[in-house]
Amino acid sequence: MKGKVIFIGAGPGDPDLITVKGLNVIKKADVIIYAGSLVNKEVLSPAKEDCEIHNSAYLNLDETDAIMREAVNSGKLVARVHTGDPSIYGAIAEQIRELKKHDIEYEIIPGVSSLFGTASVLETELTLPEISQSVIITRPEGRTPKPDGESIASFSKHHATMCIFLGIGMIDKVVDELLVGYEKTTPVAVVKKATWPDQQIIRGTLQDIAQKVKDAKITKTAMIIVGDVLDRDDFNPSKLYDKNFKHEYR
């Protein structure tokens, strides 16, 4: 009897932010492969005593695939645990492609993205009426190339709320690109390890955020959020709860 691979979004860091469905899979999994450089290991604490646990920080794609195939062919349940939500920069597509080659059954359980963990600790709504009703999720180009037309500079011209993954290590380049479209006075927040006990929050503008990040010695595992939605109290309320407006979505 064949087993199964279940991809799980473990959330942004706080172990209580994993979904109930994801937690239930971890409790019964025979094999767990987790992204050790990012996932809070407390998420794995409910695992069975005899569960076989692998840290994918030390594995390449072929090695991860081999562990999953061997386990599934032995009838075992594999939990592949990713940080945040695996659909955003989770590299699950390449793993799924390998599973399909071997006709291995799989499932994906969504998780709380670090993006939303960041918004929660900033106590910010990313979409304020008449200020920004769009959110751009992106990353700077590094070793992984980006398609033409998806540069941070081109996105900055929209003046929407922008959430930038994997960019803190090149903060100067990111700021230079953002300044193509945004004003120097545009608010910026940088959050390192949102929802973890040792999270750090840096607030500033495009004029000073790079230096503040360097002063704080933040070089990885941080989200950059840019836009006029940050720290705003002067906005018009939505029509959602307007006493003169009735609809079925409340």
Side-chain angles (χ1 to χ4, degrees):
M1 182 178 176
K2 279 195 172 184
K4 183 178 182 179
V5 175
I6 301 182
F7 293 90
I8 298 170
D14 181 345
D16 289 338
L17 289 176
I18 191 170
T19 64
V20 173
K21 189 171 185 178
L23 180 62
N24 286 338
V25 171
I26 286 174
K27 287 178 178 178
K28 62 184 180 182
D30 302 300
V31 176
I32 292 175
I33 307 172
Y34 76 104
S37 61
L38 296 167
V39 171
N40 188 338
K41 203 168 181 182
E42 286 186 36
V43 170
L44 310 182
S45 59
K48 297 187 298 186
E49 198 170 307
D50 60 347
C51 180
E52 180 184 321
I53 298 178
H54 300 269
N55 182 349
S56 64
Y58 304 105
L59 303 171
N60 60 39
L61 179 61
D62 291 339
E63 291 167 334
T64 301
D65 178 52
I67 291 169
M68 290 194 287
R69 278 191 288 118
E70 182 180 353
V72 167
N73 290 334
S74 300
K76 294 178 179 178
L77 175 64
V78 179
R80 179 63 172 106
V81 184
H82 284 262
T83 186
D85 181 279
S87 67
I88 301 178
Y89 306 121
I92 62 170
E94 59 207 55
Q95 297 175 74
I96 289 170
R97 182 168 58 191
E98 294 304 309
L99 297 179
K100 285 180 176 178
K101 287 179 184 177
H102 301 286
D103 196 27
I104 291 174
E105 185 182 359
Y106 65 90
E107 180 184 344
I108 303 169
I109 298 176
V112 178
S113 170
S114 57
L115 162 59
F116 303 120
T118 297
S120 72
V121 302
L122 290 174
E123 301 176 354
T124 295
E125 183 177 347
L126 300 176
T127 52
L128 291 179
E130 300 174 38
I131 294 176
S132 177
Q133 290 289 284
S134 302
V135 177
I136 296 172
I137 301 171
T138 190
R139 60 167 295 174
E141 185 169 60
R143 287 180 297 177
T144 301
K146 292 177 66 174
D148 293 341
E150 287 195 10
S151 69
I152 288 175
S154 65
F155 286 151
S156 72
K157 298 174 184 178
H158 294 285
H159 295 176
T161 306
M162 195 182 303
C163 305
I164 303 170
F165 285 72
L166 305 168
I168 202 66
M170 51 184 89
I171 187 67
D172 287 317
K173 177 185 175 184
V174 168
V175 168
D176 286 345
E177 288 199 57
L178 289 168
L179 285 170
V180 170
Y182 294 103
E183 299 294 328
K184 287 183 178 181
T185 54
T186 303
V188 185
V190 169
V191 181
K192 177 183 178 182
K193 298 183 74 173
T195 78
W196 290 69
D198 57 344
Q199 72 181 19
Q200 285 180 264
I201 299 175
I202 307 293
R203 294 178 184 269
T205 66
L206 285 176
Q207 195 160 21
D208 61 16
I209 195 65
Q211 189 58 52
K212 287 185 174 183
V213 165
K214 292 172 190 175
D215 291 344
K217 295 181 170 55
I218 297 175
T219 59
K220 59 182 181 179
T221 56
M223 175 76 63
I224 305 168
I225 296 188
V226 186
D228 291 328
V229 296
L230 294 169
D231 305 320
R232 287 293 292 264
D233 291 322
D234 57 333
F235 60 90
N236 293 322
S238 71
K239 298 298 182 182
L240 184 60
Y241 294 105
D242 190 316
K243 64 181 179 180
N244 299 314
F245 192 77
K246 298 187 185 298
H247 57 74
E248 61 185 76
Y249 297 111
R250 286 181 178 161

